């Protein structure tokens, strides 16, 4: 026996385990995205984007990335550069490019794109609504932080929360 490994006692179990590991991992482009997004509450039964749920979803993930970026970039200029890219894409109304920028920021932070966000790629209307809302809320958080820092000083505004 090899420590740390468990070997199947019969050949059928080994074959079954091999088949399971060779299965293709589901992805947003295999046709299951709409069902998954419906189960998350982001799409209605008719397949339309649920605006209220999407807004809450967008705020959660934008705020999470915003805090991660603030924690990662000690130099405020680095944070400003990242946010400037979002601002430019938001002004041009480019949701697919914003989604790519979100992915790139997660890569920069050495974090995977969260699965619920990844599944949006399989539904263009949901991806567009999320991406545009994400950029808008991310930029709003940055503006709120800027105001707070000007009013309170950088040490008092370090928690990144709006007043």
């Amino acid at each position: 026996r090899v420590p740390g490994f468990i070997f199947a006692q019969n050949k059928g179990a080994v074959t079954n385990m091999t088949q399971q590991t060779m299965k293709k991992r589901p992805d947003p482009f295999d046709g299951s995205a709409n069902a998954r997004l419906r189960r998350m509450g982001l799409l209605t039964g008719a397949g339309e984007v649920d605006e209220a749920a999407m807004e809450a979803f967008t705020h959660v993930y934008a705020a999470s990335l915003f805090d991660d970026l603030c924690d990662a970039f000690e130099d405020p200029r680095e944070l400003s550069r990242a946010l400037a890219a979002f601002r430019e894409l938001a002004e041009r109304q480019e949701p697919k490019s914003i989604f790519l920028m979100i992915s790139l920021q997660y890569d920069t932070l050495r974090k995977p794109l969260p699965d619920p966000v990844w599944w949006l790629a399989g539904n263009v209307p949901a991806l567009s609504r999320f991406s545009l809302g994400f950029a808008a809320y991310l930029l709003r958080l940055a503006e709120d932080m800027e105001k707070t820092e000007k009013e309170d000083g950088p040490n008092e505004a370090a928690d990144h929360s709006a007043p």
Side-chain angles (χ1 to χ4, degrees):
R1 290 179 83 159
V2 177
F5 291 95
I6 298 173
F7 292 98
Q9 295 298 319
N10 63 44
K11 189 174 181 171
V14 172
T15 303
N16 190 25
M17 287 175 19
T18 303
Q19 288 171 344
Q20 287 178 356
T21 59
M22 294 178 68
K23 279 186 174 179
K24 182 181 177 282
R25 185 169 185 257
D27 67 58
F29 311 104
D30 68 6
S32 64
N34 287 348
R36 289 174 186 256
L37 295 173
R38 253 192 309 280
R39 286 191 292 274
M40 286 185 234
L42 299 176
L43 295 181
T44 65
E48 300 294 320
V49 175
D50 182 316
E51 295 297 327
M54 184 60 78
E55 182 177 14
F57 181 82
T58 299
H59 286 194
V60 167
Y61 283 102
S64 178
L65 182 63
F66 179 77
D67 285 337
D68 286 346
L69 291 171
C70 289
D71 293 342
F73 296 136
E74 291 180 24
D75 182 351
R77 291 175 295 199
E78 291 179 64
L79 178 62
S80 293
R81 278 193 291 274
L83 295 173
F86 279 104
R87 184 173 289 109
E88 179 183 330
L89 294 171
E91 287 171 358
R92 294 192 325 226
Q93 296 285 301
E94 292 186 20
K96 290 179 183 177
S97 296
I98 292 169
F99 193 78
L100 178 60
M101 181 60 64
I102 294 167
S103 298
L104 292 172
Q105 292 305 317
Y106 274 100
D107 283 348
T108 298
L109 297 169
R110 299 184 193 279
K111 290 185 171 197
L113 186 66
D115 277 351
V117 174
W118 169 236
W119 284 99
L120 293 169
N123 183 291
V124 174
L127 178 135
S128 295
R129 173 66 179 87
F130 172 80
S131 297
L132 294 171
F134 184 100
Y137 193 65
L138 186 75
L139 296 171
R140 187 174 119 198
L141 291 171
E143 289 170 11
D144 289 349
M145 187 178 76
E146 230 174 75
K147 286 180 196 172
T148 303
E149 284 181 349
K150 286 179 183 173
E151 293 168 1
D152 299 337
N155 293 334
E156 294 176 39
D159 73 351
H160 317 301
S161 59

